[in-house]
Amino acid sequence: MMHGYWTGIGFLAITLAAAVLASASADGDTAGNSLKGKKVAILVTDGFEQVEMTEPRKALDAAGAKTVIVSPSTGQVKGWKHTEWGDSFPVDLGLDAASADQFDALLLPGGVINPDKLRMNPKAVAFVKAFVGAGKPIAAICHGPWTLVEADVVKGRKLTSWPSLKTDIRNAGGLWEDKTVVVDRGLVTSRKPDDIPAFNQKMIEEFAAARPKVSAGK
């Protein structure tokens, strides 16, 4: 995101939350929310807010999930750190070769550039819509819900986001709330990086509660 809301307190909270999750995983105990055997797609393209991908991914990995970066980009995708370009990350699976059938859940990081590009990509929109159609859980943070709006899947659902998306969400029939984290029928949403600890906790709970729906042989 190109906003100056990142704070030292928020960073400390995220670091502590990640440490707790990692410790729990090492002890074989994730408070009944183990994601062992579950496969999570992380849909991004260049310009995703880096911490909104890396910190939730760490939490998912610590809970035993297999995380896969899916992207219309090839080779690598580049993150965004507050006001400048961040690090590059390898793409694990090209969007052209990806299907919702291959995964149990979906993570949609934010950033302004990333979801704006994804919502203009018909394959990315169809990929997201397929998760909803299959009843699979989705976690989206900050500007991430933009792609959900484009996929026309927010009608009648409670969710939150970066405040500038409020009107878009309401126009699409969504019930926007200004809360740290909102959960509605398998959809987990949060507003900004400072919300990541609460976002991660609810994301893992929802992903763990969902029955495995990966097609055989995937």
Side-chain angles (χ1 to χ4, degrees):
M1 291 239 350
M2 291 177 276
H3 301 280
Y5 52 67
W6 187 246
T7 66
I9 293 176
F11 180 78
L12 178 60
I14 289 171
T15 302
L16 290 172
V20 169
L21 283 167
S23 175
S25 179
D27 293 339
D29 177 15
T30 52
N33 295 324
S34 174
L35 298 181
K36 184 177 180 180
K38 294 203 173 185
K39 194 174 179 182
V40 180
I42 304 174
L43 180 62
V44 290
T45 191
D46 292 327
F48 61 91
E49 183 63 36
Q50 187 163 310
V51 73
E52 293 172 4
M53 188 281 282
T54 57
E55 294 304 322
R57 189 180 198 185
K58 286 178 186 177
L60 292 168
D61 289 343
K66 179 180 180 181
T67 54
V68 179
I69 292 182
V70 177
S71 180
S73 303
T74 57
Q76 293 187 323
V77 283
K78 200 164 189 176
W80 185 267
K81 282 187 175 181
H82 322 312
T83 59
E84 59 187 12
W85 287 104
D87 301 322
S88 294
F89 299 83
V91 173
D92 299 310
L93 182 64
L95 180 60
D96 287 342
S99 166
D101 293 339
Q102 298 168 279
F103 300 97
D104 296 290
L106 173 65
L107 170 62
L108 294 172
V112 178
I113 302 170
N114 164 62
D116 197 38
K117 287 183 177 180
L118 290 176
R119 66 180 180 150
M120 298 299 292
N121 185 317
K123 290 183 179 179
V125 174
F127 184 69
V128 171
K129 195 165 188 174
F131 278 85
V132 178
K136 297 182 179 183
I138 297 174
I141 187 168
C142 205
H143 284 77
W146 243 347
T147 315
L148 296 172
V149 169
E150 193 67 31
D152 194 24
V153 296
V154 302
K155 187 175 182 179
R157 287 180 180 264
K158 296 178 182 178
L159 68 161
T160 192
S161 67
W162 183 252
S164 63
L165 274 66
K166 175 173 63 176
T167 300
D168 288 346
I169 289 170
R170 286 178 172 170
N171 286 342
L175 308 173
W176 190 86
E177 299 181 355
D178 185 14
K179 294 182 178 179
T180 302
V181 61
V182 176
V183 181
D184 187 349
R185 290 169 285 167
L187 175 61
V188 181
T189 52
S190 282
R191 304 166 300 179
K192 54 187 177 180
D194 285 348
D195 298 340
I196 287 176
F199 177 73
N200 286 350
Q201 180 183 348
K202 289 300 182 182
M203 171 182 66
I204 290 173
E205 288 177 6
E206 290 298 306
F207 287 8
R211 293 181 179 181
K213 295 180 181 180
V214 172
S215 297
K218 297 293 183 181

